[in-house]
Amino acid sequence: MPAYALARMEETAPHADVAEYIERVQETLDPYEGRFVAHGGETDVREGVWTGAVAMVAFPDLERARAWYDSPAYQAILPLRARHVPGDLVLFEGVEDGYRPAVRAAALRAALAG
């Protein structure tokens, strides 16, 4: 099942460490088949409060997403970003091709019916 790393990063002043992180991050993703699907593009907040920029990386599965984040290569460059750009990062499972939300709704209705 696909998985994703989603980061929300506060807007900050440019810093050389952040530029180095961006230059080096892809080499940490490659062994885990990670690929960017979003990286700092325009955001249009429709509900709630959201500040900062977004980055999202796709992985083949949650195990590889976790292995990437915990890898010595990524942990070595993480401080370059984390010291200068506060934010949040979550790893999460996606859905299989052909996913239908009505199937989940049916299971929810069944559980509600007891």
Side-chain angles (χ1 to χ4, degrees), residues 22-74:
I22 294 169
E23 290 167 347
R24 295 175 56 191
V25 70
Q26 187 63 53
E27 67 193 34
T28 72
L29 294 166
D30 289 342
Y32 306 96
E33 300 178 62
R35 63 177 182 80
F36 276 92
V37 294
H39 194 207
E42 179 181 348
T43 57
D44 180 359
V45 179
R46 297 295 176 111
E47 295 183 31
V49 177
W50 187 279
T51 60
V54 175
M56 190 161 81
V57 176
F59 294 90
D61 51 54
L62 193 54
E63 292 75 26
R64 279 181 264 200
R66 288 176 175 142
W68 160 73
Y69 188 85
D70 295 337
S71 71
Y74 185 66

Side-chain angles (χ1 to χ4, degrees), residues 53-95:
V54 175
M56 190 161 81
V57 176
F59 294 90
D61 51 54
L62 193 54
E63 292 75 26
R64 279 181 264 200
R66 288 176 175 142
W68 160 73
Y69 188 85
D70 295 337
S71 71
Y74 185 66
Q75 290 299 307
I77 68 167
L78 177 58
L80 296 171
R81 178 190 52 77
R83 281 194 300 255
H84 307 288
V85 183
D88 305 300
L89 186 138
V90 295
L91 304 177
F92 61 96
E93 282 186 324
V95 296

